[in-house]
Amino acid sequence: MKQIVHIVNRDKFTAGYINFMEYYMKDYSHLFITLKTDKELDVLNINNVIYIESYKCLIRNGEIRKSFEDAYKIIGTGIFGMEKYLIRFPDSILKKTYFQFWGGDFYMYRNHKGPMTQLRKHILKSCIKKIAANIMLVDGDCIQISNILKIDKKYFVAPMPSDPTKKINYDMYRNMKHEDNKKRILVGNSSTPENQHIEMFEKLSYLKEEKDINIICPLSYGDENYREEVIRKGKDIFGNNFIPITEFMDIEKYHNLLSTCDIGIFNNNRQQALGNIWIMLRMGKKLYIRSDNSMWKHFKDLGFKLYDIADIQEISLEQLCFYDASDRMHNLETADSYNDEKDIAAWKKVLAD
């Protein structure tokens, strides 16, 4: 049986990726390499997972080097620094390697011009030239990575898959209400500048005198300095109606939080927050997204009704949150029609390449 070696960036998506491959891609044998933390992953087969202290182990660990040599394919998912070590492998290894980009791992080169950033950018481009193909989360990111890195490459579109062992019944969240009568507006997904929180706060500042409103702002991971800046600005404009979420929640609590929000506003200036957007669409929430973001076309092409952030022009709170019943039902039906089969087909195409 052909073996696929996966180098998986350690994140909240890691276990889901591993379990998806083990559960659905059974025509191949899989070996997963990921960074060690103080918490073990909840995976189907722990014997197929190698934990490493850092990506330096990719070149220092003889077992890993041998697995690369024997592998049918090598897939790196979440390319946040692993390219610095993969570039040291011979072309025979790189030509069967695929990079799945999550977004931040290439958008980071969009505006940063320092010498170290340029060096890392050069290494990444050198790696991409030699590997078999890129894998993008949404189709529009292929254009974005080409514009940013000035390089064209064969590519596939395949999602960061959800965990098949942890299916969520979204029906239970679709009609949940919060205890008070306040309108709850979710803004952003993390404490990264790409969320453009402050721009959005200023755009919504005309609502600051509204008493029956909460601005919910997830800031549990990302840039700590930026987080403090966002909290200061949010409190300055909205006072006690601004609610920053700074502690990481388990998945059930986070779903409960999102289920109490009336709308979600994602002013992200790049592909980001896909998981949050999917969750809220499946819950039947009204979503505002930037129409110049590659996610806009991605979700529109899937058939979803989205609302453009440019349309938020001092409309009333009721207008902002109003969600036409037919639009909501359409989005719920569209979300329900999207199942694992589409993700499976996308990944089978990558692995069979």
Side-chain angles (χ1 to χ4, degrees):
M1 186 179 290
K2 295 175 179 177
Q3 184 175 67
I4 312 292
V5 177
H6 307 260
I7 311 165
V8 192
N9 184 58
R10 192 66 185 265
D11 197 90
K12 57 185 177 293
F13 308 112
T14 308
Y17 176 96
I18 291 173
N19 286 338
F20 177 90
M21 293 297 169
E22 288 279 24
Y23 194 86
Y24 287 125
M25 303 292 119
K26 293 181 178 177
D27 290 340
Y28 305 89
S29 100
H30 300 276
L31 177 67
F32 304 95
I33 302 166
T34 192
L35 295 172
K36 183 179 181 180
T37 69
D38 57 359
K39 186 177 180 181
E40 287 200 359
L41 293 166
D42 181 13
V43 294
L44 290 168
N45 185 0
I46 61 172
N47 297 319
N48 286 356
V49 181
I50 297 176
Y51 292 100
I52 57 176
E53 296 291 341
S54 74
Y55 286 135
K56 290 180 181 179
C57 295
L58 297 177
I59 55 176
R60 293 178 177 176
N61 186 304
E63 179 186 359
I64 291 175
R65 291 183 66 91
K66 182 67 164 58
S67 73
F68 286 174
E69 292 170 0
D70 296 341
Y72 171 60
K73 289 186 192 307
I74 301 160
I75 297 176
T77 179
I79 315 302
F80 295 93
M82 68 176 71
E83 74 279 4
K84 291 189 294 183
Y85 302 98
L86 290 175
I87 191 64
R88 304 185 192 188
F89 283 91
D91 289 357
S92 59
I93 299 294
L94 292 174
K95 72 180 182 181
K96 56 182 178 180
T97 299
Y98 295 67
F99 279 179
Q100 184 184 34
F101 287 95
W102 290 4
D105 42 6
F106 73 88
Y107 276 103
M108 66 179 291
Y109 299 108
R110 179 168 46 178
N111 299 315
H112 300 286
K113 308 296 184 182
M116 287 305 297
T117 301
Q118 292 302 308
L119 176 60
R120 288 186 61 185
K121 183 177 180 180
H122 172 74
I123 292 171
L124 181 58
K125 287 178 65 174
S126 299
C127 238
I128 291 174
K129 288 177 181 178
K130 295 184 176 184
I131 64 173
N134 291 333
I135 307 168
M136 314 309 293
L137 297 183
V138 301
D139 191 60
D141 273 356
C142 176
I143 297 172
Q144 295 298 325
I145 196 171
S146 177
N147 289 339
I148 293 167
L149 298 181
K150 308 302 181 187
I151 185 171
D152 292 320
K153 190 70 183 182
K154 175 183 175 181
Y155 76 98
F156 296 86
V157 177
M160 197 62 189
S162 59
D163 193 334
T165 70
K166 292 180 171 60
K167 291 298 181 184
I168 297 167
N169 178 12
Y170 285 97
D171 289 341
M172 64 183 288
Y173 295 106
R174 290 177 176 177
N175 296 303
M176 290 182 70
K177 301 292 182 182
H178 40 86
E179 294 178 356
D180 55 44
N181 292 319
K182 290 186 175 183
K183 294 293 185 182
R184 292 192 174 185
I185 300 173
L186 184 92
V187 177
N189 76 302
S190 63
S191 59
T192 59
E194 290 84 0
N195 276 259
Q196 302 285 287
H197 292 99
I198 294 173
E199 178 184 89
M200 198 66 243
F201 294 164
E202 291 172 347
K203 199 173 183 68
L204 293 171
S205 63
Y206 71 94
L207 299 172
K208 64 183 178 182
E209 301 301 328
E210 291 277 355
K211 295 180 180 179
D212 295 328
I213 187 175
N214 281 144
I215 305 296
I216 312 290
C217 201
L219 299 166
S220 59
Y221 67 94
D223 185 314
E224 291 185 8
N225 292 329
Y226 176 73
R227 176 189 301 138
E228 295 307 312
E229 182 184 357
V230 169
I231 292 173
R232 283 195 300 271
K233 189 67 173 181
K235 289 290 187 183
D236 180 57
I237 295 176
F238 302 106
N240 292 332
N241 289 330
F242 178 75
I243 303 176
I245 308 299
T246 58
E247 298 296 324
F248 192 81
M249 295 180 173
D250 65 37
I251 190 67
E252 184 176 351
K253 286 184 178 180
Y254 193 63
H255 276 74
N256 285 333
L257 172 71
L258 295 184
S259 72
T260 67
C261 295
D262 294 279
I263 64 172
I265 298 179
F266 297 93
N267 193 36
N268 311 64
N269 63 11
R270 68 168 176 85
Q271 180 269 105
Q272 195 178 31
L274 282 171
N276 283 260
I277 291 169
W278 266 114
I279 290 169
M280 296 193 79
L281 286 171
R282 287 183 168 119
M283 288 181 177
K285 304 298 181 180
K286 182 179 183 180
L287 296 187
Y288 289 87
I289 299 176
R290 289 172 61 136
S291 59
D292 60 352
N293 188 313
S294 58
M295 295 187 298
W296 175 271
K297 184 176 186 301
H298 173 71
F299 284 105
K300 295 286 279 188
D301 286 349
L302 289 175
F304 288 103
K305 168 70 174 177
L306 302 174
Y307 298 82
D308 193 344
I309 280 178
D311 294 335
I312 303 176
Q313 299 287 347
E314 296 201 15
I315 57 178
S316 71
L317 179 60
E318 291 301 321
Q319 286 177 299
L320 182 70
C321 296
F322 173 74
Y323 197 8
D324 183 81
S326 62
D327 288 347
R328 181 176 187 270
M329 182 57 63
H330 170 80
N331 277 359
L332 285 174
E333 291 173 351
T334 302
D336 287 341
S337 71
Y338 194 98
N339 53 45
D340 283 349
E341 293 303 318
K342 295 179 180 179
D343 294 349
I344 293 167
W347 274 105
K348 281 188 173 180
K349 187 176 180 181
V350 173
L351 299 190
D353 175 54

